[in-house]
Amino acid sequence: MLEIRQLRYVQAVGEELHFGRAAARLHIAQPALSRQIQRIEQQTGAALFVRTQRKVELTAAGALMLERSRSILRELEQLEQDVRRAGKGELGRLTIGFIHSSTYGLLPRTLQRFRDLYPDVELELREMSIADQATALARDDIDVGLTRPARYAPGIETLSIMEEAFVVAVPAYHPLASSASTPLARLSNEPFILFPRASSPLFNASILRMCETAGFTPQAIQTATQVHTVVGLVSAGMGVAIVPVTAKNMQVSGVAFLRIQENPPPVSVVLAWRTSRETPSLRAFRAIAFKVGEEFMATQARTRRGGDVC
Amino acid sequence: MLEIRQLRYVQAVGEELHFGRAAARLHIAQPALSRQIQRIEQQTGAALFVRTQRKVELTAAGALMLERSRSILRELEQLEQDVRRAGKGELGRLTIGFIHSSTYGLLPRTLQRFRDLYPDVELELREMSIADQATALARDDIDVGLTRPARYAPGIETLSIMEEAFVVAVPAYHPLASSASTPLARLSNEPFILFPRASSPLFNASILRMCETAGFTPQAIQTATQVHTVVGLVSAGMGVAIVPVTAKNMQVSGVAFLRIQENPPPVSVVLAWRTSRETPSLRAFRAIAFKVGEEFMATQARTRRGGDVC
DNA sequence: TCTATTGATGTCCTGGAGGTATTACCGATG
DNA sequence: CATCGGTAATACCTCCAGGACATCAATAGA
């Protein structure tokens, strides 16, 4: 089989058309070069160069080999560089699962920053439920999920990147709308828009638990899966709701958000991935998402103080 | 720079996912393989395989390298094979100049046989005058010319591949039309269609000389450069002409061809090429053209005996 | 005829690829 | 829990292919 060295030598001689100069360019002595070329010619049975004393010329086979050698050498160089970049996570492909609500906060900012830093990593985005992400991770359908804490199969690792407090959403005309905060008990007789237990078990359970702690059971007048829908229903005056604070980022008017005085436990946004599928790109994505999460929480802590009518 | 060996090793390990088996497949011992892979990983700074005890897995960088290595190795193999074939003249490109009249005989047969034997040699055909071929050869615009003897620049070699006798062409109704041969002197008072001296010096000079030897100067009533045109004019009854015997192969009716009793010197068809540009494909082409020329002459010697009205 | 140029040849040397033996690590098994 | 089996990594040695150096051979040009 031909060796890379031989291609390099053919290229040098083919371009210089002079064994001495070609050898100098290759940082080897001329006899070594002569012998290598001879060896190729012997291996292939094809004369590559016509050495008339005083000048060297390419044969047809030589010209063919010169051209193709150039191309292979280029590819090889590109390969080495790409492997190097892939090793640093600058090259590759990342399939990201995400829950719908993350598009109102973390995800766009994370993607933007990631694309800036790693423009040659191909990103594939898939909106999927928390449960779907769990199975997709287990089946290796996605590389990483931007999701919520849940029961994941063994071998799936998670990292919490943001804690979202819950807030109360009330219609703008509601008596509470001008307050910055409220105790939960104040809502005991309000009609509630809740998350359905089946499709949003985490939110459903968290909210029921905090109301229970406050001493009442919320009166469900309606349920909706998407945070966006819930807030929409509130704005339509159907009732009040307890939603994660990112809901403020949605462009929905006619809704006021109030801090909950009991400070119930927040809900996390987590990254989830298979430990065994940890790639450099994934590591990079994780680091960026984590950073963005931190910044995001800092921002929200600041804005929380002001009045919150959108 | 990456070595071919390294690509082969990555491919083996990437496909077997087992150092021992990969080493066996490569006919080397396992430690050597381990070391080489380590060296690549060190060179590129990218982990290619995850060696969890009990199993070997590809990283993203490894998968990238595996795929690209396969492709480069394939190309390299193809290259070696192609160089080998190019050396034997089975691959390449041949630009052939030819005079128009050769399409009535040698050229089609030569091309057909050459294509059968060397299907991967690309052929480029250019109809050009004898003089144009001479300059094209000198300027390396064509690899070989199918032409006539002429003054060629030094470094241009020629090989005669066919001798064509001259014959007399007369209209079918002409008193001589039923004869198989005639002495030239019999034509001294006939109107002649001649080849112009400027564009067909060889034919012009040959014909004038043979008439002169026969004791007369032909009366030119018309001139034409192409043999085909000359024969056409004869068939139209404009006069008689002296043309090379291949003219019989043209599909022109109403013309009779007669042997010349004086047996004037024939005219050659030659191959011309630059000595320094002798490629294997050219050698092959030359051999075939030579063979076809021999066969062609044999055929004509046979048919010459019969009556020659077309 | 002599000299300069340039590729080929002869000879020796060395780095690195490979081999053998062994170790290290882990999982399975009784 | 000790041991065994399987697998990759390490240690150390061998050997050869590719390279350096010196020289030759052939030719062009002065």
Side-chain angles (χ1 to χ4, degrees), chain B residues 5 9 27-29 31-32 35-36 39 53-54:
Chain B
R5 197 177 338 102
Y9 290 5
H27 306 295
I28 61 170
R35 269 195 308 258
Q36 285 298 330
R39 226 164 73 76
Q53 306 299 112
R54 228 67 187 175

Side-chain angles (χ1 to χ4, degrees), chain A residues 5 9 27-32 35-36 39 53-54:
Chain A
R5 198 175 337 102
Y9 290 4
H27 306 294
I28 61 170
Q30 167 264 315
R35 264 198 290 256
Q36 284 297 329
R39 226 165 70 76
Q53 305 300 113
R54 229 66 186 172

Side-chain angles (χ1 to χ4, degrees), chain A residues 14-241:
Chain A
E15 284 173 0
E16 300 288 343
L17 293 176
H18 187 294
F19 278 72
R21 281 198 301 274
R25 183 171 128 182
L26 293 164
H27 306 294
I28 61 170
Q30 167 264 315
L33 181 55
S34 286
R35 264 198 290 256
Q36 284 297 329
I37 299 288
Q38 286 169 352
R39 226 165 70 76
I40 305 172
E41 294 182 319
Q42 185 184 339
Q43 260 180 42
T44 58
L48 299 178
F49 302 99
V50 184
R51 290 81 141 173
T52 82
Q53 305 300 113
R54 229 66 186 172
K55 74 164 169 275
V56 175
E57 283 182 328
L58 279 165
T59 64
L64 173 81
M65 183 154 180
L66 169 59
E67 196 177 336
R68 302 263 294 263
S69 293
R70 277 206 194 101
S71 136
I72 291 180
L73 287 170
R74 258 199 309 274
E75 281 179 70
L76 203 68
E77 208 165 324
Q78 189 64 46
L79 168 59
E80 184 169 352
Q81 203 179 319
D82 287 352
V83 170
R84 185 164 283 135
R85 296 183 63 202
K88 284 196 282 184
E90 294 172 8
L91 197 69
R93 181 187 183 75
L94 208 53
T95 304
I96 304 169
F98 65 96
I99 49 177
H100 183 268
S101 61
S102 60
T103 57
Y104 290 103
L106 281 173
L107 190 60
R109 233 174 283 188
T110 305
L111 290 180
Q112 189 188 340
R113 196 161 321 168
F114 188 84
R115 283 217 180 91
D116 282 353
L117 290 172
Y118 303 95
D120 292 329
V121 175
E122 229 179 300
L123 293 178
E124 188 178 334
L125 293 166
R126 299 204 194 145
E127 190 197 330
M128 22 191 355
S129 73
I130 301 167
D132 284 353
Q133 287 192 47
T135 62
L137 283 166
R139 295 199 336 210
D140 239 5
D141 280 349
I142 61 177
D143 295 313
V144 61
L146 193 57
T147 178
R148 300 281 181 187
R151 296 215 165 282
Y152 294 107
I156 309 275
E157 216 165 325
T158 61
L159 171 71
S160 170
I161 57 172
M162 188 167 81
E163 308 253 286
E164 281 188 280
F166 280 103
V167 293
V168 173
V170 299
Y173 62 76
H174 193 279
L176 279 173
S178 55
S179 316
S181 66
T182 177
L184 273 180
R186 175 71 185 75
L187 304 171
S188 57
N189 291 319
E190 296 282 342
F192 258 83
I193 298 141
L194 291 178
F195 293 93
R197 185 170 175 187
S199 60
S200 304
L202 181 67
F203 283 180
N204 182 272
S206 302
I207 291 165
L208 290 185
R209 189 170 313 122
M210 70 179 81
C211 291
E212 197 170 346
T213 307
F216 71 101
T217 302
Q219 305 303 313
I221 191 172
Q222 175 73 286
T223 64
T225 300
Q226 299 292 341
V227 176
H228 192 262
T229 314
V230 170
V231 176
L233 293 171
V234 170
S235 111
M238 298 270 305
V240 304

